[in-house]
Amino acid sequence: MAEQKVPYSRELSAQVARSPRGEIVAYPVVESTQTNGVCDEVIAPAPRTSAEHVAEAERIARTIAEDLGVTGMLAVELFEISDGERRGVFVNELAMRPHNSGHWSMDGAVTGQFEQHLRAVLGLPL
């Protein structure tokens, strides 16, 4: 079988934290660049991203967290596709933990992803 590649224009990531009570907070959607299969750069918030794609990425992350009953951090990596009829954001990977696409939050957000993960697991306000 011939190898097929997804014709994506870039990779985005949406991260949410969810408490056992169902409280959910979202971080800005980010763009990540991979080098040799390893996350090399993360830009927060993702530049040149339509409001529609940002809203869709966040909706997907919130829905997955709710439907799976996630407690703690959830990173949803997405491919942004702008190829003819197939346009939008599509899930590539899930990580139910602090994730490298959220390391920027340690210095770039009021509450970093590691603290937010603990707050969620311990049932503290997010």
Side-chain angles (χ1 to χ4, degrees), residues 5-27:
K5 296 189 180 200
V6 175
Y8 68 96
S9 53
R10 63 184 173 157
E11 190 170 325
L12 302 174
S13 181
Q15 282 191 283
V16 296
R18 184 178 179 278
S19 75
R21 297 180 314 280
E23 177 187 9
I24 297 179
V25 296
Y27 285 91

Side-chain angles (χ1 to χ4, degrees), residues 36-107:
N36 297 321
V38 176
C39 184
D40 188 42
E41 180 181 41
V42 174
I43 303 170
R48 303 171 317 280
T49 306
S50 70
E52 178 185 359
H53 284 182
V54 168
E56 181 68 1
E58 186 176 317
R59 184 196 65 75
I60 288 168
R62 287 175 178 272
T63 299
I64 290 170
E66 289 173 352
D67 288 355
L68 295 180
V70 170
T71 295
M73 292 298 302
L74 168 68
V76 179
E77 290 187 358
L78 306 128
F79 288 142
E80 182 179 59
I81 297 176
S82 310
D83 181 32
E85 293 178 17
R86 295 184 300 174
R87 302 180 64 81
V89 292
F90 300 86
V91 175
N92 170 44
E93 179 182 336
L94 301 178
M96 292 181 209
R97 57 177 165 70
H99 189 260
N100 58 11
S101 64
H103 288 345
W104 68 271
S105 69
M106 294 170 12
D107 295 320

